[in-house]
Amino acid sequence: MKKLIYSLMGAGVLLSACSTNRIKDHVVEVGNMGNVKVTKMTSVRVNGLLIAQGYFHNTGSKAAQGYYRCQFYDANKMQVGDAEQWQLLTIYPNEDQPVKCQATQLEATDFKIEFSNDASNVTIYN
């Protein structure tokens, strides 16, 4: 019986460490997102580096374009590494578009994905 209880407790700990994240904690809307919604957010560590993946969904009837970038933070909520450049993204109607970002520093423990559908809200360096 004790083995069963310990097994269930261990499974609970493993499940609580899964990489599905609360969406609102990891998305920053820069301006209005329009018909674009974030439907899923996950993260995982590979070789000690945090990798974040978000899924954008277009609920409109026309293709939507926007810009996204990822920011990574340490345990003290301080930004880790340089700010990423804004990336152009096209999301077709009723489709999910995944985006993936990788931290460059081992200290990264948290992330945010920023999104803007208005180029006037972002600065793009080529």
Side-chain angles (χ1 to χ4, degrees):
M1 185 67 168
K2 284 185 180 180
K3 286 184 180 181
L4 177 62
I5 291 173
Y6 288 130
S7 296
L8 291 174
M9 287 174 55
V13 169
L14 287 174
L15 288 175
S16 67
C18 282
S19 62
T20 302
N21 298 289
R22 290 179 37 166
I23 293 172
K24 68 179 183 174
D25 293 341
H26 297 284
V27 175
V28 177
E29 297 177 19
V30 181
N32 182 6
M33 289 182 66
N35 292 326
V36 176
K37 309 289 181 231
V38 179
T39 58
K40 185 177 176 185
M41 192 75 68
T42 61
S43 64
V44 66
R45 284 201 174 272
V46 175
N47 296 326
L49 295 173
L50 184 61
I51 298 175
Q53 185 165 356
Y55 294 84
F56 292 96
H57 183 80
N58 180 1
T59 59
S61 59
K62 296 181 182 178
Q65 284 194 325
Y67 298 88
Y68 78 93
R69 71 176 178 181
C70 297
Q71 302 285 359
F72 290 93
Y73 301 92
D74 65 14
N76 295 318
K77 305 295 182 202
M78 299 295 292
Q79 184 173 329
V80 176
D82 295 329
E84 287 192 12
Q85 292 185 7
W86 290 94
Q87 304 290 322
L88 179 63
L89 178 68
T90 301
I91 309 163
Y92 295 99
N94 297 313
E95 288 190 11
D96 287 332
Q97 179 67 46
V99 297
K100 188 184 287 188
C101 307
Q102 180 174 325
T104 58
Q105 307 287 325
L106 294 173
E107 295 80 19
T109 60
D110 198 9
F111 68 94
K112 292 195 183 292
I113 296 179
E114 300 176 342
F115 181 84
S116 175
N117 71 352
D118 184 2
S120 66
N121 290 328
V122 301
T123 303
I124 300 172
Y125 301 98
N126 289 323

